[in-house]
Structure formats: structure tokens, C-alpha cells
Amino acid sequence: MQKVEVFRIATNSPDDVSGLKELVDNKTIKAEEIIAILGKTEGNGCVNDYTRGFSNMALSYYLAGELNSSPEEVQKQVALIMSGGTEGVMSPHITVFVKKEVEGETNQSGEKRLAAGIAFTRDFKPEEIGRMEQVKEVAKCVTQAMKDAHIESPADVHFVQIKCPLLTAERMEEAESRGKEVAINDTYKSMGYSRGASALGVALALGEVTEDQLNNEMICHDYSLYSGVASTSAGVELLNDEIILIGNSTNSASDLLSGSAVMKDAVDIEAVKEAMKAAGLVFEEYPSDKELDKLVNVLAKAEASSTGTCRDRRTVMLEDSDINHTRHARAVVNAVISTLTKDPMVYVSGGAEHQGPDGGGPVAVIART
């Protein structure tokens, strides 16, 4: 039976591994039991955000030393998912997922507890990014991650975090040299197509959509179809999708629980409360400090509505030529969540194509029982 532990660690820079090193050195964490690291780095979160790759490299080299391995081998067995952009008061950090095997077939209470699984897709060709090839491959690997987590029902899946590739000028040129056409000839917009296709892959695997509803033309156009638990983040630093899936299972001896909800817009604080309660927190209007002490982390997606409004009020997020709308959205959603948690060190990723309704996004909570 699995036992999953989760550690939230503050970072002082994208390459800061000192907090993780301290926990490994004092035996709180065993390096060989780390299955995934989910990070928020302080770059711009756009195509040229190299803090993601910088952080990934630092973690890979550190773990390679601990595991007597190579950075390349580390990246094949540990999902290193870095999300750029810590606008507003969002504090840079990493969330480390540790998984070990313990004796027993079910936990002592017989109740479901936190479970986690990972999977890696194959590398994608440029012309496959943002298209059905990516959707189907992600769906297959999400199913593998569920099996890895010993989660049988999609209803028990509460968050699927994916790091996916994007198109660069070089990648587009390579596809063109072979006579292939890419989904979009815009490097920044390609991030959205990759995120959207990856999210629809989650939705397909979990039965939130059916394959006959999907095609290349609807990706990043028909936003009525989405996943309520997918969180996808694109980066230049990889060519495949890396997946970490969390939920609850009776095949877990963890003392943690996960819960989720879907924010209907960027200021939907009630959905955050719903996710907290689903993760076991007990409160009426606002959680007490005692209940907040149970929180390990809150994970959420942020998105500017395509209508240019929020609660029927005009916003300028889509019209700001100086600051990309994803950066505005991350700052807003982080502030909303921090209002409840009293702690700005939470995970908020921007760009929610097919991840929750237009202008909203999934939110998940991991808490101690």
C-alpha cells in the first residue's frame, strides 16, 4: 500500500535547492522516494521564461548527486513540473511529492486518503502539439497515472498537473522542412494550444468528454468542453508531457486528503471554500487558524475571461499591451486564495484553456486529516 507525503518548501531563487537539501539531510525526505516536484518560479511564465528550465536543471543535478544517477535519468523517473510566474504576492516555492510502499491492503480507517501517480508521454513532433495526437497520448498516460496511484474511479481524481511543450521558431521551421503544418504559427499562442490539448486529454481519460466531441478544429475554440481537474502549464524546456495525478484511494496509508472544486471566475472564493471542505477542513464562513494549520497547499488555475469581463464588469486584462493577461490572472487568483489561507505561498498557474469554464479554473486542496 502506498503512503504519500507532500512538502511545501520556500525558494529564494529558481535554482535554490537548499530547503529540499535540508529535508533530505535530516532524513525527513528520502531522495529515492520523490516522485514529483511541482514548482512556482519567478519568471514571466511566457515563452522566454528560462527560470523553469533553470529550476529544473538545478533540481535534476541535485537529485542526481543524491541518487548516484545522471540528471537525464532523474528526469525520466521524477516529474519535474515548473510553472513560471509569481506575480502579485504569490511566493516562489516547490511542492515535493514523496511516495513509499508500506504494509497492508487498506488504511486502518478504511477511508480514502491521498494517492498520487505519475506518467510521461512520448516526445511530440511540432505538428502534433495542440492537436488530437497530443490529446490521445495524454489521455492514455493519465490512465496510466491513475493506475500508478491505485485510483479506480475518476470521481476520486482531484487534480492532474501537466507540464507540456510549446512551439518555437526552430521547431516550426523543422516541421515546415518536412512539409508539415503546425497548429498555430505563433509561439506564445502555441502555449495555449498545448495546454488546451493536454487538458482535453485529461477530460477524455476521466470521461468528462467523449472522443467524438473532439477534433483539431475545436481545440482552443470550443471552450464549452473542459476538464474540472486538469491544470496544464507549457514550457520551452521539454518536448513531452509530464503528468502528476492526485486524488484519494483506500490503497493509501497517507495522513493527507485531497479535495477539489471548480472556480467559475477569478474571484470565486466560494469554490475555494468548497475545495477546502472537500479536503476535510471544517468551518462555517471562514476557516479558523487551527483548521488552516492542516493545509499543505492549494493548487489552482487562473484565466482571464474571453469576454473581457468579470461578474459583468469590464476588465483590461486582455487589452493590456504591457502585461500579459495570464500574469494579471495569476495575481488575482492568488490574492483570492491567500485571503482564505492567510498565506500567499500557494500554487497558481495561468492559462486555463479547457481547464474549467471560460474565465475560471480548477482548484484543489491538500490537507492533513
Side-chain angles (χ1 to χ4, degrees):
M1 183 167 57
Q2 66 184 304
K3 183 175 183 180
V4 177
E5 298 174 315
V6 183
F7 302 86
R8 184 182 55 163
I9 304 169
T11 55
N12 293 315
S13 63
D15 64 332
D16 180 19
V17 299
S18 61
L20 175 59
K21 182 178 185 301
E22 181 180 353
L23 292 179
V24 172
D25 288 348
N26 67 24
K27 311 298 183 185
T28 300
I29 292 176
K30 290 183 179 180
E32 62 269 23
E33 294 175 346
I34 296 173
I35 63 167
I37 300 178
L38 178 59
K40 282 304 302 182
T41 65
E42 58 257 48
N44 60 23
C46 298
V47 175
N48 65 332
D49 182 353
Y50 300 109
T51 66
R52 296 179 302 234
F54 190 25
S55 181
N56 191 309
M57 182 182 69
L59 290 164
S60 297
Y61 273 88
Y62 167 68
L63 290 176
E66 291 294 326
L67 299 172
N68 295 316
S69 182
S70 68
E72 293 75 20
E73 286 302 313
V74 167
Q75 293 174 19
K76 291 178 181 178
Q77 62 190 40
V78 180
L80 299 173
I81 299 176
M82 302 300 124
S83 173
T86 53
E87 295 80 9
V89 297
M90 185 163 23
S91 185
H93 66 284
I94 58 174
T95 304
V96 181
F97 291 82
V98 173
K99 184 177 178 179
K100 64 186 75 174
E101 292 297 321
V102 297
E103 293 183 0
E105 296 181 356
T106 59
N107 57 52
Q108 292 182 349
S109 67
E111 297 178 351
K112 294 176 182 178
R113 291 290 181 263
L114 182 69
I118 63 172
F120 303 86
T121 70
R122 60 173 174 80
D123 286 356
F124 292 109
K125 296 177 182 178
E127 63 269 22
E128 295 177 324
I129 294 174
R131 288 186 162 152
M132 285 300 297
E133 291 90 344
Q134 189 176 18
V135 173
K136 292 179 182 179
E137 175 70 9
V138 169
K140 180 180 72 174
C141 290
V142 167
T143 301
Q144 292 174 4
M146 280 185 68
K147 291 180 180 177
D148 185 41
H150 297 283
I151 295 176
E152 297 181 359
S153 171
D156 288 324
V157 176
H158 290 292
F159 208 65
V160 184
Q161 179 63 52
I162 294 178
K163 190 69 189 181
C164 54
L166 54 81
L167 290 172
T168 62
E170 182 181 16
R171 292 171 186 175
M172 288 188 285
E173 184 178 1
E174 190 277 329
E176 185 178 354
S177 71
R178 293 183 287 104
K180 300 297 183 180
E181 184 178 346
V182 296
I184 184 103
N185 286 295
D186 182 303
T187 58
Y188 182 76
K189 290 181 179 179
S190 78
M191 299 178 78
Y193 274 76
S194 185
R195 289 191 299 255
S198 297
L200 288 171
V202 176
L204 180 59
L206 300 182
E208 296 172 291
V209 300
T210 58
E211 189 171 338
D212 61 5
Q213 293 178 288
L214 308 177
N215 54 61
N216 288 335
E217 287 68 36
M218 60 76 56
I219 297 172
C220 286
H221 288 93
D222 182 0
Y223 289 116
S224 67
L225 300 178
Y226 60 80
S227 170
V229 295
S231 171
T232 64
S233 176
V236 71
E237 65 273 16
L238 76 174
L239 289 169
N240 67 331
D241 277 36
E242 298 187 1
I243 302 165
I244 175 170
L245 178 148
I246 66 171
N248 300 316
S249 171
T250 55
N251 185 276
S252 173
S254 176
D255 61 355
L256 304 173
L257 188 67
S258 63
S260 62
V262 178
M263 297 178 72
K264 64 183 180 183
D265 57 34
V267 294
D268 188 4
I269 198 169
E270 295 304 318
V272 184
K273 292 180 182 179
E274 181 183 342
M276 286 181 169
K277 291 178 180 178
L281 271 64
V282 179
F283 60 94
E284 294 283 336
E285 190 64 23
Y286 293 98
S288 65
D289 289 347
K290 181 180 179 181
E291 289 298 296
L292 290 177
D293 284 342
K294 299 177 182 178
L295 279 180
V296 175
N297 209 351
V298 179
L299 315 170
K301 285 301 296 187
E303 177 80 333
S305 172
S306 63
T307 64
T309 63
C310 182
R311 307 264 169 129
D312 296 324
R313 299 291 189 182
R314 187 176 75 90
T315 72
V316 298
M317 288 194 284
L318 296 177
E319 300 166 356
D320 190 335
S321 297
D322 297 312
I323 303 174
N324 190 273
H325 63 89
T326 57
R327 309 192 74 182
H328 282 283
R330 281 191 292 265
V332 172
V333 174
N334 174 259
V336 169
I337 295 173
S338 298
T339 299
L340 279 177
T341 64
K342 300 182 181 179
D343 184 349
M345 197 164 74
V346 297
Y347 178 94
V348 180
S349 172
E353 300 86 356
H354 300 292
Q355 302 152 72
D358 184 21
V363 57
V365 173
I366 300 172
R368 298 178 187 85
T369 57

